[in-house]
Every structure is written in C-alpha cells, then in structure tokens.
Amino acid sequence: EKYGPSSIYITKVTPGPRGDIYDRNGRKLVTNIRKYNFWIDGKNIADKEKIIKLFSNTFGRDESIYIDLIAKGKRYLEKNVEETDARAILSEINNIKGLYKDTVYTRHYPYHDLCSQVFGYLDSNSKPKSGLESYFNEVLRGDSITTKYVRDNFGAIRIYDEEMPLTKLFANNENKIKRGLDLTLTIDIDVQSIFQNELQKAVNESNAVSANGIIVDPLSGEIIAMATVPSNNLNNRIDFKIENSINRAISDQYEPGSTFKIFPVSAILELDIYSPSDSFDCENGKLDISDIYKLPKRRIVQDHDPYDTLSIVGIISNSSNIGMSKIVSALPDMELYKYTKMFGFGEKHGINLPFEGKGVIHHPRSSKWYKESKPIVSIGQSITSTSLQMAIAYSAIANNGKIMKPKIIKNLKDKNTGIIKNIENEVVRDMLSDATAENIRKMLYDVVENGTAKNVKMKSIKIGGKTGTAQKANNGKYSDNEFISSFASIFPIDNPQFVCIVSIDSPDKGKHWGNETAAPVVKKTVSRMLKENKIRLWLR
C-alpha cells in the first residue's frame, strides 16, 4: 500500500568477484575482468538527451538505436562493457538521473587453453560446471548482497523501505562485498605449456582422437602438469566444445597394457618368490597357457618378438607376455589382487577435482575372475586404470614404496584478511621395501637402455620407463584397429624427481605402439624442461 496497489517488487542478488587462481610460482592463471551493465529507470529519466548522446559517442552507434530502446521500454542500454570502453560513462554516471550500472565479473584466462580442463568453466549464468571452479565453488565464489527494490505506481525504481539514492547504495554494495578465496596450485605453468604442446603435436602427427598425461613429483604427490588435448580456449566461448572440457587424465579409464607389468613383478620381489636374475623360457614367442593354469580351453599367449630365455629384468625390458604369464603362476591370486589395490588401482585417490574415475580390478572371489585372469591381468588386460592412478602407482616405485595422496592445491588465501591455509603433503601408505623399489627402477632403466624404449635414451639425463600398447575394447571385443598408446616414466631414474604418464587414444595404426607415439612425448618434454631449468639434477 505504501507504494501503490500495482507496485512491482524486485529482489536483486549482487555477487562478489570470484577468487583468482595462481600457479606454484605465483603467476596468475585465472582472474576476473570487471564489466558493466548499464540500465535506465525508464520512466524517470531527467537527462534522456544527455544519455542518448553519451552512449552514441562512447560506442560509436547511431543515436536512433538508443532512442528506440528507450521508446520500447527496454531496461538495458549496453551489457558486458569492459572498463576501458566505459570510462566516459563511468565518469558521468553520478551526474545523470535515471542511469545506473551493475558491476559484473567475467573469468579471464591469461594462458588461453592451458589447464582448461583443470580449471573447469562457468556457464552463461556464471554457474560452475567442472574442474576447480566446481570443486572449490564454495571458497572461490565471493559473498553476495541481496537488495529489495520496488517499482512504484509512478514507474520509479526505489529501494524498499529506504530513502537512500540508488547510486549511493550501489557504491556502498561494491565496497562491502567480499571477494572469494584465491587458490595457488601445484601446477608449474611453464612445464604445463611444454607438456601440453608436445601432447598436441603427438595427436596431430599420429591423427589420434585425443591424448592426456600427468607430471607429478613422486616425493610430495604434487601435480606439476595435467593436460588433455584437444583443449578449449576458455576466452573464446564461440568455439567451445563440451567434449574438450573433459579432464581425461583423471576421468578416462582404459586397459593399461604393458605399463602395468611392473606391479605384479613388484609383488613377486617383495614376497621373495623370485629374484630379478631368475630366468624363464619364453618359448620363442608363442605359448599355450592351458596346462599352467588348468584351463578347459586352449589359451594362447604371444609376444611381439620371439625370445627363448629371459631373466625377469629381460622380461620387463622386452615386455614379454609369455614371461609374465610364467612369473605370476607362482603368485597367489589374492596377493596379486592385494598388491594391485595397494598400488591404488580400483579406487579413487580423492584429488580435489570432480569426476575422478575409479577403474576396475575384479576380486578373485567374484564371478568375473576366471582361471586365466591372473596372467591376463598381469599384462594389463581385464583391468582398467586412469592416468592419475598410473602416475601415483609409478610414484610409489620412485619414492621407495611410499604412496602419496595426489595434490593439486598448495594453499588457499583470503585476500580480505591475509590468512593463508597451506595444504600439507599426505602419505597414504608405505608398501614396498627400498630394495624392491630400487630393483624395479633398475628394470625401468633397462627398458630405456636396452629394451622397448631405446628411442627415449638421452645423454644428459637417465630416464626409466615402460611402454604400453593396449587394444581398445568395443562391445566386449578387442579392436584390431584402435589402441591406447602409453608410456610411463621416472626421471632422473637415479634420483627421482618426476613421474610422467602419457596416454594417446587411437593413433593411426603403425603409429600405435607405445614407443612410437607416447614415449617420444616424454623425451621431448624432458629435453625442453632441461633447457628451461625445470629439472634439478642435484641431490635433494
């Protein structure tokens, strides 16, 4: 009744600016651009001619456009105007009756498409849809101020139950709103740039569908780089593709193939069943394992190249499936399962990002575990993994058996108060002896020196790693044309500082082997990291 029976009541929520995101060295990766929406109190414009001229001159548009907007009762004259383009209006707005502004904030990404899947994105309504923006929305988003307005019988807008002028209220609100907390990541944007660039080149050269990878510090669990290509330039929403917003390094689950072989061998050594020098007849490349595992039907296991006798070191170095089938015959099913789980497969690691995949490892007492499951799992089939899980498992080898929780946030900072909350490193479990971890590292070094990854060898640094080539499964059958090419590496292998996992989805056949497409990404990345002093070659 105070404002008349036909009054319209409006509730307006003004959000504060979101917190910024920084890399480990303090470089700003995500920030806000302040923009303005200019609107009018349509029936209470004392300076209509002044407004029309001011907007026409500022934006280089004909006066008739603004005359028409006002005549049609449109509220907004211009929206999402950057500060540099709005200076003339901002300097005059307090002197113009009936013209107002809303301050809005849009996200800006100085490094364009780098880390876009890690950051996630906001939709057109500023709602977070993925990545850190979603996971940390409660701390990133600023406080909001709610104001109640009324349009009275005379068409004028005023604050409900207050006599304060709107312009003064807006100024007070801007001063009172608290911004969100800032995040400092463990990511090094220079390493991210190198790694993402090399992944993209590998996709282009092999005509692959996509590629992803992770570089992690195995001693702390800190993620130094996490990349998926193709990616989105989040500053360009016109060409934005939803499928390119998936963080495949943590979400995509695939059969790891031969990169998995070191984990059953770790269990074998830890349980003192065999030693690295023990040898096995690899049957010149073809073996019927039916007798070994008492299978009702023949099951043939083959190697890419024929070998006669190989030590366990040689079996890993040359990636012999037959050798692995014979090694694990002495390993109880439950021990294989137990160690696989202890390495972190089949469970989420709890990284501070949404949509983390769990992977699959069947329990030996389940209906999906068969007599031949053990040798098949030991060569990386009938098990699925994410790149993150593989990175953390290899980190245990690099870190003398200690599994670290993956960490992508170094700290959260409240700029309103100056309070910083550091995120501590966390040891999940210590599962291997130093001797076992060292023996596996020696095997990985031999893979690069003498085995399937000789093309990765470098004079300036010692690299250890394992190639993997896994057929993709479609409708329960393995494809003859689609593969996952992968390479898992530790460098320097004699003083581990980094673990790097590369996974390339469906490169052209002929380029699908792990040593052909995935392994060179690591070599080129390491070479560029050395040139930019991103690898410390002295003892910690």
Side-chain angles (χ1 to χ4, degrees):
E1 292 182 3
K2 177 178 179 181
Y3 300 107
S6 60
S7 300
I8 299 172
Y9 296 89
I10 308 162
T11 299
K12 179 179 172 59
V13 178
T14 305
R18 293 177 75 83
D20 294 331
I21 300 177
Y22 296 84
D23 91 332
R24 65 186 301 115
N25 298 310
R27 280 164 295 190
K28 195 174 287 186
L29 306 179
V30 184
T31 188
N32 303 299
I33 293 179
R34 190 197 304 257
K35 294 185 179 182
Y36 300 95
N37 296 334
F38 293 104
W39 56 281
I40 53 173
D41 184 354
K43 296 186 178 181
N44 191 29
I45 306 177
D47 299 319
K48 180 161 64 173
E49 295 299 323
K50 187 175 182 180
I51 290 172
I52 291 168
K53 283 187 176 299
L54 179 60
F55 274 72
S56 176
N57 292 336
T58 300
F59 299 105
R61 306 177 76 189
D62 195 272
E63 289 185 7
S64 63
I65 294 172
Y66 299 102
I67 293 171
D68 190 51
L69 287 172
I70 294 171
K72 290 180 177 178
K74 299 294 184 182
R75 187 176 182 189
Y76 287 97
L77 298 183
E78 293 286 351
K79 298 181 79 172
N80 291 315
V81 181
E82 293 192 20
E83 194 160 4
T84 53
D85 298 325
R87 284 173 182 160
I89 298 174
L90 294 173
S91 65
E92 293 287 333
I93 195 167
N94 290 336
N95 302 318
I96 301 175
K97 189 175 182 181
L99 177 64
Y100 304 100
K101 65 175 172 65
D102 293 334
T103 303
V104 295
Y105 298 92
T106 60
R107 288 306 231 178
H108 176 67
Y109 308 87
Y111 292 89
H112 306 291
D113 70 329
L114 294 185
C115 277
S116 68
Q117 297 91 353
V118 173
F119 302 146
Y121 67 97
L122 308 179
D123 66 13
S124 57
N125 296 315
S126 296
K127 291 184 178 179
K129 305 304 290 186
S130 64
L132 294 168
E133 295 279 20
S134 175
Y135 193 92
F136 284 97
N137 184 50
E138 292 301 314
V139 297
L140 280 170
R141 69 181 184 183
D143 287 349
S144 297
I145 289 181
T146 301
T147 308
K148 194 172 182 180
Y149 301 93
V150 62
R151 184 181 290 279
D152 64 20
N153 274 3
F154 303 100
I157 296 175
R158 63 180 71 227
I159 307 168
Y160 183 74
D161 270 350
E162 283 194 41
E163 298 302 321
M164 183 188 299
L166 289 177
T167 50
K168 184 176 180 181
L169 174 76
F170 295 147
N172 287 349
N173 283 353
E174 281 195 35
N175 291 331
K176 287 193 295 183
I177 290 179
K178 290 183 178 180
R179 68 193 309 279
L181 272 60
D182 293 341
L183 301 181
T184 297
L185 308 186
T186 60
I187 297 284
D188 184 313
I189 200 62
D190 292 332
V191 177
Q192 178 77 24
S193 178
I194 292 168
F195 190 41
Q196 190 164 322
N197 178 251
E198 293 300 336
L199 284 170
Q200 185 63 65
K201 287 194 287 187
V203 166
N204 295 343
E205 291 166 6
S206 67
N207 198 33
V209 172
S210 67
N212 71 76
I214 293 178
I215 299 176
V216 60
D217 177 346
L219 306 190
S220 65
E222 292 186 352
I223 306 296
I224 308 301
M226 178 182 284
T228 298
V229 294
S231 187
N232 285 313
N233 178 354
L234 295 176
N235 295 318
N236 178 9
R237 300 310 292 270
I238 295 173
D239 297 326
F240 182 88
K241 295 180 179 178
I242 290 290
E243 62 269 25
N244 293 346
S245 68
I246 300 169
N247 188 346
R248 301 188 185 279
I250 67 169
S251 297
D252 277 12
Q253 301 165 72
Y254 57 93
E255 289 192 349
S258 294
T259 55
F260 184 79
K261 288 176 178 174
I262 65 166
F263 304 116
V265 171
S266 297
I268 290 284
L269 299 184
E270 190 71 8
L271 295 170
D272 203 24
I273 296 172
Y274 295 122
S275 68
S277 60
D278 287 335
S279 296
F280 298 82
D281 183 359
C282 292
E283 310 288 346
N284 288 310
K286 191 172 183 179
L287 173 67
D288 183 348
I289 62 170
S290 304
D291 291 336
I292 300 175
Y293 291 95
K294 298 179 175 58
L295 306 179
K297 295 181 181 180
R298 293 184 70 203
R299 182 67 186 257
I300 304 300
V301 175
Q302 293 180 293
D303 284 340
H304 183 263
D305 294 310
Y307 304 103
D308 44 28
T309 300
L310 291 174
S311 66
I312 291 182
V313 173
I315 288 169
I316 292 296
S317 183
N318 295 286
S319 205
S320 169
N321 295 330
I322 293 171
M324 284 301 302
S325 297
K326 289 192 171 185
I327 291 171
V328 297
S329 64
L331 181 66
D333 290 10
M334 279 303 299
E335 291 296 333
L336 173 61
Y337 175 79
K338 183 182 81 172
Y339 274 87
T340 299
K341 292 287 285 185
M342 284 198 298
F343 272 111
F345 296 99
E347 62 181 27
K348 293 182 180 181
H349 282 294
I351 192 170
N352 296 138
L353 288 166
F355 312 124
E356 180 187 352
K358 184 178 180 181
V360 174
I361 172 66
H362 298 299
H363 194 283
R365 288 196 289 269
S366 76
S367 60
K368 294 185 178 180
W369 185 275
Y370 310 104
K371 288 184 177 181
E372 66 268 33
S373 289
K374 184 166 60 179
I376 299 307
V377 167
S378 75
I379 61 175
Q381 295 181 357
S382 294
I383 178 174
T384 62
S385 167
T386 65
S387 292
L388 176 65
Q389 288 173 326
M390 192 61 66
I392 297 305
Y394 267 78
S395 292
I397 301 299
N399 194 21
N400 285 332
K402 291 185 180 67
I403 295 262
M404 305 299 295
K405 183 173 181 178
K407 174 181 169 183
I408 200 163
I409 304 294
K410 284 187 77 72
N411 62 58
L412 296 85
K413 182 176 181 179
D414 187 341
K415 278 188 178 173
N416 304 298
T417 63
I419 295 172
I420 297 175
K421 179 184 178 182
N422 292 315
I423 308 299
E424 301 300 325
N425 302 334
E426 182 179 338
V427 179
V428 177
R429 68 182 69 90
D430 191 350
M431 56 169 294
L432 294 178
S433 65
D434 291 0
T436 295
E438 184 178 1
N439 277 320
I440 298 296
R441 291 198 297 271
K442 288 178 180 177
M443 293 180 196
L444 294 173
Y445 181 57
D446 195 66
V447 173
V448 174
E449 288 295 299
N450 305 303
T452 58
K454 285 185 283 190
N455 59 331
V456 178
K457 190 188 305 185
M458 299 176 68
K459 291 181 179 179
S460 52
I461 186 173
K462 292 180 179 179
I463 300 175
K466 185 74 191 74
T467 54
T469 306
Q471 292 170 286
K472 292 182 69 174
N474 293 317
N475 298 319
K477 294 183 179 180
Y478 286 110
S479 170
D480 292 328
N481 299 305
E482 293 183 306
F483 300 83
I484 298 291
S485 169
S486 59
F487 188 61
S489 59
I490 300 171
F491 58 93
I493 192 65
D494 51 346
N495 176 31
Q497 295 173 26
F498 298 97
V499 165
C500 180
I501 306 298
V502 171
S503 174
I504 300 181
D505 185 358
S506 303
D508 283 344
K509 197 167 183 181
K511 297 181 179 179
H512 65 285
W513 301 107
N515 66 334
E516 289 291 329
T517 302
V521 171
V522 174
K523 182 175 182 178
K524 293 171 185 176
T525 298
V526 171
S527 177
R528 291 175 63 181
M529 287 175 68
L530 283 168
K531 287 179 182 177
E532 296 193 19
N533 293 319
K534 293 296 178 179
I535 301 175
R536 302 172 297 282
L537 294 179
W538 55 86
L539 293 175
R540 294 189 178 212

